[in-house]
Amino acid sequence: MPKSSIDLAIILDVRSIGVDLFRANSPNVSTERVFGGLVIGQAMLAACRTVESRLPHSLHCYFIQAGDPHVPLTYRVERLRDGKSYSTRRVTATQHESAIFSMMASFHKGEKGVFEHQDRMPDVPGPEQFTMEELSKKPEYKDLPEIVRRYYEPDRPVELRPVEIGRYVGQKIEDGRLHMWMKASTKLPDNPLLHTCALAYASDLSLLDAVMGRYGRTLFDGRILSGSLDHAMWFHRPFRADDWLLYAKESPSAQSGRGLARGLIFKRDGALVASVAQEGSVRERC
């Protein structure tokens, strides 16, 4: 039976505890560490609370150390610049008085541009073709590890529908290109800032798994140790995070125990709404 969805707007919310100082919690205390996307989304929301009449257009962040899900996260925002067109904020997340995460975010008032182009959206069937009911009809489904089936259950803040299901049973993706449909599991308020923070949260979901695509392996493999090192994101065009979005991912390089993953996020009408890049530690257990 489907489980109730988790409201992404609630878990991203941060409360003010002082001037440009915010606090939030991790909703999942059963994990070993705080999900990186949660910290990105909460940090972005904290930054948004200090900017007026401008939307984020980019973020660049580093994961300094793993977060403890049992301890509240404190976000300190620094107002670095408020110019005619752009505003810049730095956000530091701390626990136990130590920094665990640092982010720079830039905001733009918006303007009419002369140049307009984008990459074309990959030709991928719609999300209706990748429900668990539809996937269960595929011959590979019976061989899916239980951890993979649980990961794609609907009781999570972002509903995920993987396209290349065969890779979870050893199929190699020669060009390393992976695709996943995603959207917030619950309806979000009509606030573009919140939708930006929600997509920042979702952008960290399985991005590093693109590193494994060429090898017929996944991050669900218990022999793999992985962790995000940094994360960058650019927001291009308006979108709603509670509508279906296609996350097209690839990994152009892996070496020295690190892997680079890139992603493009499209609306169903083909509009490119965001670009993502992340490097992470990807190792085999000894």
Side-chain angles (χ1 to χ4, degrees):
M1 294 292 292
K3 302 179 183 179
S4 60
S5 299
I6 301 172
D7 192 333
L8 188 53
I10 292 175
I11 68 171
L12 288 177
D13 195 31
V14 296
R15 64 185 184 278
S16 175
I17 58 173
V19 178
D20 296 343
L21 197 63
F22 303 86
R23 184 161 291 162
N25 297 305
S26 173
N28 192 348
V29 296
S30 63
T31 57
E32 294 183 0
R33 57 189 179 186
V34 177
F35 169 52
L38 177 69
V39 186
I40 299 172
Q42 290 179 343
M44 179 57 82
L45 187 56
C48 290
R49 298 272 172 88
T50 70
V51 179
E52 294 184 3
S53 304
R54 294 178 179 183
L55 294 174
H57 71 88
S58 70
L59 65 86
H60 300 259
C61 54
Y62 281 92
F63 298 97
I64 300 170
Q65 56 181 315
D68 183 347
H70 299 92
V71 177
L73 295 116
T74 299
Y75 297 94
R76 181 177 297 278
V77 182
E78 298 175 68
R79 304 183 186 222
L80 300 184
R81 179 176 183 263
D82 284 303
K84 292 182 179 180
S85 298
Y86 293 90
S87 294
T88 308
R89 297 292 186 265
R90 177 164 54 211
V91 186
T92 304
T94 61
Q95 287 182 322
H96 304 296
E97 299 183 353
S98 295
I100 66 166
F101 171 90
S102 178
M103 182 183 80
M104 294 281 288
S106 184
F107 297 74
H108 186 210
K109 71 174 185 179
E111 61 186 77
K112 180 74 172 178
V114 176
F115 308 105
E116 178 78 22
H117 71 268
Q118 66 159 78
D119 278 0
R120 182 176 297 178
M121 180 179 177
D123 186 13
V124 173
E128 298 81 8
Q129 302 298 314
F130 301 101
T131 64
M132 291 310 292
E133 180 180 1
E134 289 298 319
L135 291 178
S136 67
K137 300 175 184 177
K138 296 182 179 293
E140 304 98 324
Y141 183 82
K142 61 181 176 58
D143 297 320
L144 283 183
E146 184 61 26
I147 188 174
V148 174
R149 298 190 193 193
R150 290 201 308 269
Y151 188 78
Y152 290 110
E153 286 181 348
D155 62 328
R156 55 185 306 129
V158 177
E159 186 175 351
L160 306 173
R161 295 186 181 178
V163 174
E164 291 84 9
I165 188 175
R167 60 183 304 268
Y168 296 111
V169 292
Q171 177 186 339
K172 295 181 180 180
I173 308 298
E174 296 301 329
D175 61 5
R177 298 179 185 273
L178 307 177
H179 305 86
M180 180 172 68
W181 289 100
M182 63 184 184
K183 73 177 183 69
S185 297
T186 58
K187 190 74 172 176
L188 298 177
D190 296 331
N191 180 344
L193 292 174
L194 180 58
H195 286 265
T196 298
C197 297
L199 189 59
Y201 172 102
S203 69
D204 192 36
L205 288 165
S206 300
L207 180 54
L208 279 182
D209 208 25
V211 178
M212 300 284 96
R214 300 171 189 266
Y215 306 96
R217 302 178 66 177
T218 77
L219 294 184
F220 294 105
D221 185 336
R223 298 167 292 173
I224 301 295
L225 290 171
S226 67
S228 304
L229 297 172
D230 59 13
H231 192 94
M233 192 168 187
W234 298 264
F235 303 96
H236 308 309
R237 296 172 179 83
F239 64 90
R240 291 191 64 94
D242 52 9
D243 287 338
W244 284 113
L245 300 168
L246 180 68
Y247 202 176
K249 300 175 282 187
E250 63 176 353
S251 175
S253 179
Q255 75 297 311
S256 304
R258 303 190 315 275
L260 177 65
R262 299 185 302 206
L264 299 178
I265 302 176
F266 298 87
K267 293 199 301 186
R268 292 194 69 169
D269 65 6
L272 177 62
V273 302
S275 300
V276 189
Q278 182 181 97
E279 187 176 47
S281 171
V282 184
R283 302 180 176 124
E284 277 195 325
R285 294 180 186 272
C286 298

